[in-house]
Amino acid sequence: MSPRTARAPRPRTSVHQPTRGYRVFQGVNGVVLTLVVLVTLYPFVNIVARSFSGERQIRAGEVTLWPKGFNLTTYRIVFRDSMFWRNYGNTVLYTVVSTVIAMALTTCYAYVLSKSDLRGRGVLVGVAVFTMFFTGGLIPNYVLVTSLGLKNSVWAIALPNAVSVFNLLVMKAFFESLPRELEEAAEIDGLNTYGILFRIVLPLSKAVIATMVLFYSVSFWNSWFSAYLYMDRTELMPVTVYLRNLISGATTGGNAGAGTDQLSQVGANIQAVTIVLTALPILCVYPFVQRYFVSGVTLGAVKG
């Protein structure tokens, strides 16, 4: 055979065959994760079933995964109340405004702390971390909010809880993981600090921003104590306070406008209806940001 027609031997490709132990691990892992999913889903399915079930079946403990004695009494009482829809609108307003303010402050603060050459950086980090362990207390906070004239306004909910230190540290770690060369190149092209932040850093931070928006929005949506403390008028309350008052009225027998049978039905499944109504919007929004959740947290994690 001539040298021209000679062919170089092909390198042998070895196909890695999973070992028996690895296959057993995969099987056990799949079974365990399936059980975890079932255990996690069961309470949610049970709550939804209880919210549509009758009083007798609920009190007898017959409701598991499917409604029994189908009943919409509590939903009708809640939906027919105009105050419910007004408070629901307040919740949407408070959540949107508070999340926007929290994201603006957290993003700017985290970007500043990510600069290792910043003078006084250690002091700023220390001030933020200090608030994780020590607070002013309930009464000083109430006096402060009242003296600033923030009562009965959205600012009483948004400003005192505007910055979560945990979210701040996650965003700070994420900004620190971005290549410094990108910002240096932007500086050479003539961008100032704000231009670098809005045109370079933020477009590369969609994952962590979506994660922080989810964290903040869930926190503000479920919050009720701040509104209960700083709001004096019923029409300014969020829906969480409305549902809390409905639970209180049903359990104490003081629900005006409802008969004895209706009151018993409301008292039986009001907690289930409350959970469904407050969790439904978040469950609808979560699938759209879920794909950013894992990457946002892991990219912002501390790497050794």
Short mmCIF file of all heavy atoms in Angstrom, two decimals, residues 71-93:
data_model
loop_
_atom_site.label_atom_id
_atom_site.label_comp_id
_atom_site.label_asym_id
_atom_site.label_seq_id
_atom_site.Cartn_x
_atom_site.Cartn_y
_atom_site.Cartn_z
N ASN A 71 -69.25 23.37 47.43
CA ASN A 71 -69.88 24.56 47.99
C ASN A 71 -69.05 25.78 47.66
O ASN A 71 -67.83 25.76 47.77
CB ASN A 71 -70.01 24.41 49.52
CG ASN A 71 -71.02 25.37 50.10
OD1 ASN A 71 -70.91 26.57 49.92
ND2 ASN A 71 -72.01 24.83 50.82
N LEU A 72 -69.74 26.84 47.23
CA LEU A 72 -69.08 28.10 46.87
C LEU A 72 -69.52 29.26 47.76
O LEU A 72 -69.36 30.42 47.38
CB LEU A 72 -69.36 28.45 45.41
CG LEU A 72 -68.82 27.48 44.35
CD1 LEU A 72 -69.28 27.90 42.97
CD2 LEU A 72 -67.31 27.40 44.40
N THR A 73 -70.07 28.95 48.94
CA THR A 73 -70.62 30.00 49.79
C THR A 73 -69.58 31.04 50.17
O THR A 73 -69.81 32.24 50.05
CB THR A 73 -71.21 29.37 51.07
OG1 THR A 73 -72.23 28.44 50.71
CG2 THR A 73 -71.80 30.45 51.97
N THR A 74 -68.42 30.58 50.61
CA THR A 74 -67.39 31.53 51.04
C THR A 74 -66.89 32.36 49.89
O THR A 74 -66.67 33.58 50.03
CB THR A 74 -66.23 30.76 51.70
OG1 THR A 74 -66.74 29.94 52.75
CG2 THR A 74 -65.21 31.73 52.28
N TYR A 75 -66.68 31.75 48.73
CA TYR A 75 -66.25 32.50 47.56
C TYR A 75 -67.29 33.56 47.18
O TYR A 75 -66.93 34.69 46.81
CB TYR A 75 -66.01 31.56 46.38
CG TYR A 75 -64.69 30.84 46.43
CD1 TYR A 75 -64.61 29.50 46.78
CD2 TYR A 75 -63.50 31.49 46.12
CE1 TYR A 75 -63.40 28.83 46.82
CE2 TYR A 75 -62.28 30.84 46.15
CZ TYR A 75 -62.23 29.50 46.50
OH TYR A 75 -61.03 28.85 46.55
N ARG A 76 -68.57 33.20 47.25
CA ARG A 76 -69.62 34.17 46.90
C ARG A 76 -69.60 35.36 47.86
O ARG A 76 -69.72 36.51 47.45
CB ARG A 76 -70.99 33.48 46.93
CG ARG A 76 -71.21 32.48 45.82
CD ARG A 76 -72.68 32.11 45.72
NE ARG A 76 -72.91 31.03 44.78
CZ ARG A 76 -73.08 29.77 45.12
NH1 ARG A 76 -73.06 29.43 46.42
NH2 ARG A 76 -73.29 28.84 44.21
N ILE A 77 -69.47 35.07 49.16
CA ILE A 77 -69.46 36.15 50.15
C ILE A 77 -68.28 37.08 49.91
O ILE A 77 -68.41 38.32 49.99
CB ILE A 77 -69.41 35.55 51.58
CG1 ILE A 77 -70.72 34.82 51.89
CG2 ILE A 77 -69.14 36.63 52.61
CD1 ILE A 77 -70.72 34.12 53.22
N VAL A 78 -67.14 36.51 49.58
CA VAL A 78 -65.95 37.33 49.37
C VAL A 78 -66.05 38.12 48.07
O VAL A 78 -65.79 39.33 48.03
CB VAL A 78 -64.68 36.44 49.37
CG1 VAL A 78 -63.45 37.25 48.99
CG2 VAL A 78 -64.47 35.81 50.74
N PHE A 79 -66.45 37.47 46.99
CA PHE A 79 -66.47 38.13 45.69
C PHE A 79 -67.56 39.19 45.57
O PHE A 79 -67.43 40.12 44.78
CB PHE A 79 -66.64 37.09 44.59
CG PHE A 79 -65.41 36.26 44.35
CD1 PHE A 79 -65.49 35.01 43.75
CD2 PHE A 79 -64.16 36.72 44.73
CE1 PHE A 79 -64.36 34.25 43.54
CE2 PHE A 79 -63.02 35.97 44.54
CZ PHE A 79 -63.12 34.73 43.93
N ARG A 80 -68.65 39.05 46.32
CA ARG A 80 -69.74 40.03 46.24
C ARG A 80 -69.45 41.29 47.05
O ARG A 80 -70.18 42.28 46.93
CB ARG A 80 -71.04 39.40 46.73
CG ARG A 80 -71.62 38.36 45.78
CD ARG A 80 -72.85 37.71 46.39
NE ARG A 80 -73.40 36.68 45.50
CZ ARG A 80 -74.40 35.88 45.83
NH1 ARG A 80 -74.96 35.99 47.04
NH2 ARG A 80 -74.84 34.97 44.98
N ASP A 81 -68.41 41.26 47.83
CA ASP A 81 -68.07 42.41 48.66
C ASP A 81 -67.18 43.36 47.85
O ASP A 81 -66.08 42.99 47.43
CB ASP A 81 -67.35 41.93 49.93
CG ASP A 81 -67.18 43.05 50.94
OD1 ASP A 81 -67.54 44.20 50.62
OD2 ASP A 81 -66.70 42.77 52.05
N SER A 82 -67.66 44.57 47.63
CA SER A 82 -66.87 45.55 46.87
C SER A 82 -65.57 45.91 47.58
O SER A 82 -64.59 46.27 46.93
CB SER A 82 -67.70 46.82 46.63
OG SER A 82 -68.09 47.40 47.87
N MET A 83 -65.58 45.81 48.91
CA MET A 83 -64.36 46.14 49.64
C MET A 83 -63.25 45.14 49.34
O MET A 83 -62.07 45.49 49.37
CB MET A 83 -64.65 46.15 51.14
CG MET A 83 -63.50 46.66 51.99
SD MET A 83 -62.97 48.34 51.55
CE MET A 83 -64.44 49.26 52.03
N PHE A 84 -63.63 43.89 49.05
CA PHE A 84 -62.62 42.89 48.69
C PHE A 84 -61.86 43.33 47.45
O PHE A 84 -60.63 43.28 47.41
CB PHE A 84 -63.28 41.54 48.46
CG PHE A 84 -62.38 40.53 47.79
CD1 PHE A 84 -61.40 39.88 48.51
CD2 PHE A 84 -62.50 40.25 46.43
CE1 PHE A 84 -60.56 38.95 47.90
CE2 PHE A 84 -61.67 39.33 45.82
CZ PHE A 84 -60.70 38.68 46.55
N TRP A 85 -62.58 43.76 46.41
CA TRP A 85 -61.92 44.16 45.17
C TRP A 85 -61.11 45.44 45.35
O TRP A 85 -60.05 45.60 44.73
CB TRP A 85 -62.96 44.34 44.07
CG TRP A 85 -63.66 43.06 43.75
CD1 TRP A 85 -64.94 42.72 44.03
CD2 TRP A 85 -63.08 41.92 43.09
NE1 TRP A 85 -65.21 41.45 43.60
CE2 TRP A 85 -64.09 40.94 43.00
CE3 TRP A 85 -61.82 41.65 42.55
CZ2 TRP A 85 -63.87 39.70 42.40
CZ3 TRP A 85 -61.60 40.42 41.96
CH2 TRP A 85 -62.61 39.46 41.89
N ARG A 86 -61.59 46.32 46.21
CA ARG A 86 -60.82 47.54 46.46
C ARG A 86 -59.52 47.20 47.19
O ARG A 86 -58.45 47.72 46.86
CB ARG A 86 -61.65 48.51 47.30
CG ARG A 86 -60.95 49.84 47.53
CD ARG A 86 -61.92 50.91 47.98
NE ARG A 86 -61.30 52.22 48.03
CZ ARG A 86 -61.96 53.34 48.25
NH1 ARG A 86 -63.28 53.33 48.41
NH2 ARG A 86 -61.33 54.50 48.27
N ASN A 87 -59.61 46.34 48.20
CA ASN A 87 -58.41 45.92 48.91
C ASN A 87 -57.47 45.11 48.02
O ASN A 87 -56.25 45.18 48.17
CB ASN A 87 -58.78 45.11 50.14
CG ASN A 87 -59.49 45.94 51.21
OD1 ASN A 87 -60.22 45.42 52.04
ND2 ASN A 87 -59.30 47.26 51.19
N TYR A 88 -58.04 44.36 47.10
CA TYR A 88 -57.20 43.60 46.17
C TYR A 88 -56.43 44.57 45.26
O TYR A 88 -55.24 44.36 44.98
CB TYR A 88 -58.08 42.68 45.32
CG TYR A 88 -57.44 41.34 45.03
CD1 TYR A 88 -57.79 40.23 45.77
CD2 TYR A 88 -56.50 41.19 44.01
CE1 TYR A 88 -57.22 38.99 45.51
CE2 TYR A 88 -55.92 39.97 43.75
CZ TYR A 88 -56.29 38.87 44.50
OH TYR A 88 -55.71 37.66 44.25
N GLY A 89 -57.10 45.61 44.81
CA GLY A 89 -56.41 46.62 44.02
C GLY A 89 -55.32 47.32 44.82
O GLY A 89 -54.25 47.63 44.29
N ASN A 90 -55.58 47.56 46.12
CA ASN A 90 -54.55 48.14 46.97
C ASN A 90 -53.33 47.24 47.06
O ASN A 90 -52.18 47.72 47.04
CB ASN A 90 -55.11 48.38 48.38
CG ASN A 90 -56.15 49.47 48.41
OD1 ASN A 90 -56.23 50.32 47.51
ND2 ASN A 90 -57.00 49.46 49.43
N THR A 91 -53.57 45.93 47.15
CA THR A 91 -52.45 44.99 47.24
C THR A 91 -51.61 45.04 45.98
O THR A 91 -50.37 45.03 46.05
CB THR A 91 -52.98 43.56 47.46
OG1 THR A 91 -53.71 43.51 48.68
CG2 THR A 91 -51.83 42.57 47.52
N VAL A 92 -52.26 45.08 44.83
CA VAL A 92 -51.51 45.18 43.57
C VAL A 92 -50.69 46.46 43.53
O VAL A 92 -49.50 46.46 43.16
CB VAL A 92 -52.47 45.10 42.37
CG1 VAL A 92 -51.72 45.33 41.06
CG2 VAL A 92 -53.19 43.75 42.34
N LEU A 93 -51.31 47.58 43.92
CA LEU A 93 -50.61 48.86 43.91
C LEU A 93 -49.43 48.85 44.88
O LEU A 93 -48.31 49.26 44.51
CB LEU A 93 -51.58 49.98 44.29
CG LEU A 93 -50.97 51.38 44.46
CD1 LEU A 93 -50.40 51.88 43.15
CD2 LEU A 93 -52.02 52.35 45.01
#
